[in-house]
Amino acid sequence: MKKIAFVFSGQGAQYPGMGQTLADASSAAKAVFDLCDSIRPGTSAQCFTGTKEELTITSNTQPDMFAVEVAAAAALVEAGITPDALAGFSVGEIGALAFSGALSVADSFQLVCRRGELMQEASNAADTGMTAVVKLSPAQVEALAARFDQVYPVNYNSPAQTVCAGLSSSMDGFKAAVKEAGGRAIPLRVAGAFHSPFMASAAQGLAEELKKYTFAAPKYTLYSNVTGKPYEGVETYADMLSRQVISPVRWQGIVEDLIANGVDTFIEVGPGNTLTGLIGKIDPNVKTYNVDSADSLSATIQEVTNG
């Protein structure tokens, strides 16, 4: 019997038109977009018709990603597919939080809107960037990053992909060192040094924001980016969520723990298929699907139901 995890996409996977056919195909998905529009007018229009440049602005990206992710998850449940566990990559953790019932969708959306604003403000305060390093081990990347001023490993994505964030003035030298070591450095489409000390002001702001909310026990096992393990109790949620923006994302650890606990099927909900690609590199034996459109929803329902 399949054991399924829904995994919620991270920032950088956004694209113009995301979620539109999903909303057309599923009443449950459309209801999520309608709720988001009632709190932040224009969210669905931005997802469906916004430009690449608009969608790359962090204060837009995060609420828009949330809307598509939770809509995709709702469409799957509408079709009779439910998860055993949930994990989200960075901003995706807020979508997973909402879907788990630990915080209402409305409250989670307000939280993600504020998170996006705070991280945008922190990004504007310094000239920074992020780069994915492939073909090198995490230990190799850590050693290289330590040679440069304020460059930090921030996403442990797979055995051969680690993302670093840091000062733009240090990044050219860092990328050259990666190439010299036999790796490849790929700049990311994000507007700041996320999950690094450059996000300290955002973490402080989030800690204040999170005082407004009351958390409940999740309906499904819910994973934390900070620890790479399931949340231990509702009293830890606020601390984990504020720390998340200044802490590395332990994605490889999350996926390995899910597999160790019996998950053999991963469905990425939200734009793109970045996470399914990473999961396949961590363990090629598990099944992976992604849902961000009417076509991918239909294909996934057929495969998971009949497979």
Side-chain angles (χ1 to χ4, degrees):
M1 187 174 178
K2 296 184 185 70
K3 195 168 184 181
I4 297 171
F6 286 3
V7 291
F8 291 67
S9 308
Q11 192 165 338
Q14 68 276 358
Y15 61 85
M18 62 184 187
Q20 185 164 14
T21 62
L22 197 61
D24 292 340
S26 164
S27 59
K30 186 177 186 305
V32 172
F33 282 110
D34 289 345
L35 175 61
C36 293
D37 281 338
S38 72
I39 297 169
R40 180 180 179 266
T43 296
S44 60
Q46 200 166 65
C47 292
F48 303 161
T49 65
T51 65
K52 179 180 176 181
E53 290 71 26
E54 283 180 286
L55 294 173
T56 304
I57 299 168
T58 297
S59 54
N60 293 335
T61 313
Q62 296 199 12
D64 293 346
M65 291 286 292
F66 176 98
V68 179
E69 291 167 1
V70 179
L76 284 166
V77 172
E78 183 181 45
I81 297 173
T82 56
D84 297 284
L86 307 171
F89 192 104
S90 189
V91 67
E93 191 170 335
I94 312 300
L97 180 83
F99 186 78
S100 77
L103 197 63
S104 72
V105 175
D107 283 350
S108 298
F109 187 66
Q110 290 176 320
L111 175 62
V112 83
C113 288
R114 184 62 181 141
R115 183 182 188 272
E117 292 168 355
L118 289 164
M119 292 178 74
Q120 181 70 58
E121 291 168 7
S123 298
N124 292 342
D127 185 6
T128 57
M130 297 179 72
T131 295
V133 179
V134 296
K135 300 183 179 179
L136 298 179
S137 70
Q140 287 175 295
V141 176
E142 289 169 349
L144 288 174
R147 290 166 44 189
F148 295 88
D149 181 36
Q150 296 186 75
V151 174
Y152 309 96
V154 293
N155 302 158
Y156 290 86
N157 290 346
S158 76
Q161 186 185 113
T162 305
V163 173
C164 288
L167 285 173
S168 295
S169 58
S170 296
M171 279 300 188
D172 285 345
F174 173 69
K175 288 185 281 188
V178 167
K179 184 177 180 180
E180 185 179 349
R184 182 182 171 207
I186 306 165
L188 300 186
R189 295 180 297 163
V190 295
F194 304 144
H195 302 287
S196 78
F198 288 101
M199 291 291 118
S201 63
Q204 292 166 2
L206 265 181
E208 288 302 311
E209 177 71 14
L210 284 158
K211 292 176 182 178
K212 301 176 183 177
Y213 303 109
T214 301
F215 296 95
K219 299 173 188 174
Y220 314 99
T221 302
L222 177 64
Y223 276 73
S224 165
N225 283 192
V226 175
T227 64
K229 301 288 184 181
Y231 277 92
E232 293 184 352
V234 294
E235 70 280 356
T236 69
Y237 282 42
D239 179 53
M240 288 290 105
L241 289 167
S242 60
R243 284 174 55 195
Q244 190 232 46
V245 299
I246 55 170
S247 302
V249 174
R250 304 286 176 182
W251 188 251
Q252 182 180 343
I254 288 172
V255 173
E256 289 173 343
D257 197 74
L258 283 162
I259 293 169
N261 282 285
V263 169
D264 58 5
T265 302
F266 290 80
I267 305 177
E268 180 172 3
V269 289
N273 58 3
T274 300
L275 299 184
T276 59
L278 294 175
I279 291 163
K281 288 180 172 62
I282 294 167
D283 188 341
N285 298 310
V286 298
K287 292 185 177 180
T288 58
Y289 308 93
N290 71 291
V291 174
D292 64 353
S293 66
D295 287 346
S296 57
L297 172 65
S298 177
T300 299
I301 291 168
Q302 184 174 356
E303 289 284 336
V304 172
T305 302
N306 300 326

